[in-house]
Amino acid sequence: MKKELAFEEPILVTQPKLPDFDNYLSKIKGIWDRKWLTNSGPLHETFKENLREYLNVNHCELFTNGHLALEIAIKALNLKGEIIVTPFTFISTIHAAINCGLTPVFCDIDKNSFNIDPNEIEKYITKNTCAILAVHVYGMPCDVKAINEIAEKHNLRVIYDAAHAFSVEIDEQSIGNFGDISMFSFHATKVFHSIEGGLLTYNDEKHDKKLRSLRNFGITSSESVDFVGTNAKMNEFQAAMGLANLESISNDIEKRKMIYTTYAANLRKTDIKYLQYPSNVKPNYAYFPILLRNGKQRDWIHEKLKAYNIFTRRYFYPLCSDFNCYESIHSITPVAYEISNRILCLPMYTELEINVVEQICEIIKIELGEYDE
Ligand code: T4K
């Protein structure tokens, strides 16, 4: 190990960006006058409208976090039976399906995009299949065209877990416009956050009433409860954080682009593979995943980097289908299995300094040079 290259402070895989303190204070100040803290307050409503405009989507609703938003999306579509999912995601995706009474059927992924492979989907469709729940993993868009064709052919619903994909576009179209409903996470660790938070975007106006009601215990008026809902309301402090962060989002993504470019330039001449975006995609540079040669090498470098105070993460290892809670669900997904063993997410966040990125690359190159199978 080259001790002189170690960082004094830990470099984590991600770090939330906080807005200017006084700006946030100015946004929350009115809450003291209004005494309106949650339940669709004025900041909530402004935030929602600003997001609708920024994301260029027809309809959207806010939630207290992405996970509950996803469960509510599933409930709103009245889904029953089997749902085709990727095992290469954060466990929230699969939990949401199961919590809504669905049976997840794990489908393999594409080795380049790491997203559900449309060529594999049809073999899992049975008379019980109701929907496809696809994830834009790391903000890389799924093959939305192919998924849409399959869904139309088999009369299936499509939900996108777009937790990582805030602001992403395909052919200048907002990623939130595809499928029946898309879910964005505004968790502190995301490109864009409201401390905790979630958003559903959709084209069909008829979802408005049901989504709002499911978010608020299923209440539809002062004397009626039409659905078995939950409490998934975003509060005013979250909305204020989201409003403040929305002001800088374009700059933030530009900074991430520079980090991505620096990683790419420094790793280009190695045999490390990293995510490359197609030319029709406007990325948000949410994560910087790399593929190592195999699981042994991946785990080795993951550990080695800790000695330098660099804390990478193995998102998403193990596969969701390998967790104890899902061991009874049969699944054969060799590509997902291989990617999950080889993947490593390097630090990526808006305020990560370029010289730190260069140093991380130098350390990786030095250490991998000493790796002996
Ligand atoms: N679908 C997908 C595909 C998702 O990835 C997620 C969430 C969801 C659905 C559900 O959306 P939400 O309900 O969360 O809105 C983190 C996040 O907690 C989780 O939101 C995210 N995916 C997942 C990929 O990453 P952990 O268990 O890795 O979090 P944790 O606490 O280990 O933090 C990650 C790193 O960030 C650490 O190095 C510490 C650092 N950190 C974290 C927080 C919270 C900070 O520096 N400051 C902080 O405030 O799940």
Side-chain angles (χ1 to χ4, degrees):
M1 167 190 181
K2 292 232 179 293
K3 276 198 178 132
E4 65 279 15
L5 289 178
F7 292 98
E8 274 180 23
E9 296 294 325
I11 308 290
L12 304 180
V13 69
T14 186
Q15 191 182 74
K17 184 183 168 242
L18 285 157
D20 174 70
F21 186 60
D22 290 329
N23 184 15
Y24 184 62
L25 276 189
S26 73
K27 295 227 168 5
I28 61 172
K29 197 167 179 302
I31 298 175
W32 270 255
D33 304 325
R34 291 188 294 271
K35 311 245 182 302
W36 195 277
L37 307 189
T38 184
N39 292 18
S40 303
L43 294 176
H44 176 283
E45 292 304 287
T46 307
F47 184 34
K48 180 174 101 169
E49 192 45 36
N50 291 5
L51 283 167
R52 204 182 60 74
E53 268 174 37
Y54 174 77
L55 292 174
N56 205 2
V57 291
N58 290 319
H59 302 277
C60 63
E61 280 302 331
L62 285 163
F63 298 83
T64 194
N65 59 51
H67 179 80
L68 283 174
L70 192 55
E71 288 196 9
I72 286 174
I74 295 171
K75 281 193 183 155
L77 294 179
N78 240 335
L79 301 179
K80 306 254 171 334
E82 293 166 8
I83 188 161
I84 297 176
V85 294
T86 167
F88 190 71
T89 179
F90 190 57
I91 196 65
S92 161
T93 316
I94 315 302
H95 282 348
I98 302 238
N99 285 342
C100 293
L102 297 174
T103 305
V105 176
F106 291 111
C107 174
D108 213 346
I109 62 170
D110 174 80
K111 69 179 186 338
N112 296 314
S113 70
F114 307 146
N115 289 324
I116 197 163
D117 184 349
N119 297 315
E120 292 284 309
I121 292 177
E122 280 190 297
K123 73 179 184 205
Y124 293 106
I125 297 177
T126 70
K127 62 179 181 358
N128 297 322
T129 310
C130 59
I132 300 165
L133 172 49
V135 184
H136 304 298
V137 180
Y138 309 128
M140 171 68 97
C142 292
D143 186 342
V144 289
K145 192 162 166 265
I147 291 173
N148 185 44
E149 277 166 18
I150 295 167
E152 282 194 351
K153 183 170 154 198
H154 297 275
N155 195 23
L156 303 177
R157 297 304 196 114
V158 179
I159 298 180
Y160 284 110
D161 177 335
H164 305 168
F166 186 78
S167 188
V168 170
E169 290 177 8
I170 315 171
D171 293 322
E172 297 183 1
Q173 266 258 32
S174 173
I175 201 155
N177 282 327
F178 298 96
D180 290 280
I181 305 185
S182 296
M183 180 281 284
F184 296 86
S185 162
F186 297 164
H187 182 262
T189 53
K190 298 294 187 287
V191 170
F192 172 77
H193 76 89
S194 57
I195 311 173
E196 295 263 6
L199 185 81
L200 294 180
T201 62
Y202 45 97
N203 291 312
D204 193 340
E205 194 179 358
K206 78 166 189 291
H207 298 317
D208 279 352
K209 201 172 151 215
K210 192 165 181 187
L211 290 175
R212 279 189 217 132
S213 158
L214 284 168
R215 178 180 70 191
N216 187 27
F217 308 102
I219 295 170
T220 40
S221 76
S222 59
E223 286 170 13
S224 52
V225 178
D226 292 348
F227 311 106
V228 183
T230 185
N231 180 358
K233 290 167 273 134
M234 175 178 277
N235 68 51
E236 290 289 271
F237 290 86
Q238 290 174 278
M241 180 61 82
L243 279 167
N245 282 333
L246 199 54
E247 288 168 9
S248 65
I249 186 67
S250 301
N251 270 340
D252 296 346
I253 293 177
E254 266 312 299
K255 284 188 189 157
R256 284 172 175 269
K257 183 178 180 182
M258 281 166 63
I259 295 166
Y260 173 92
T261 314
T262 308
Y263 270 130
N266 280 276
L267 298 178
R268 195 162 287 139
K269 289 199 180 113
T270 68
D271 58 2
I272 294 172
K273 294 202 169 37
Y274 56 87
L275 208 53
Q276 311 234 18
Y277 300 101
S279 57
N280 66 334
V281 168
K282 183 177 147 262
N284 65 1
Y285 309 100
Y287 292 83
F288 197 89
I290 58 171
L291 278 186
L292 280 306
R293 212 183 292 160
N294 52 41
K296 199 169 153 219
Q297 192 193 45
R298 189 272 312 269
D299 291 343
W300 182 85
I301 192 77
H302 175 60
E303 284 305 316
K304 279 276 166 193
L305 292 175
K306 288 181 186 168
Y308 289 88
N309 235 346
I310 303 168
F311 296 89
T312 56
R313 289 294 283 265
R314 294 174 294 182
Y315 293 132
F316 293 100
Y317 168 86
L319 287 179
C320 290
S321 44
D322 283 345
F323 285 122
N324 287 344
C325 58
Y326 296 144
E327 67 186 354
S328 59
I329 304 175
H330 176 69
S331 113
I332 305 173
T333 55
V335 180
Y337 185 75
E338 190 195 328
I339 300 292
S340 166
N341 276 314
R342 292 172 56 198
I343 204 88
L344 191 67
C345 285
L346 300 184
M348 167 56 101
Y349 48 91
T350 304
E351 286 167 329
L352 185 62
E353 288 167 22
I354 295 297
N355 61 325
V356 172
V357 178
E358 286 166 343
Q359 194 166 323
I360 294 171
C361 293
E362 193 186 340
I363 293 166
I364 291 173
K365 283 194 265 188
I366 290 170
E367 287 299 331
L368 282 182
E370 290 183 2
Y371 177 75
D372 192 1
E373 195 93 11

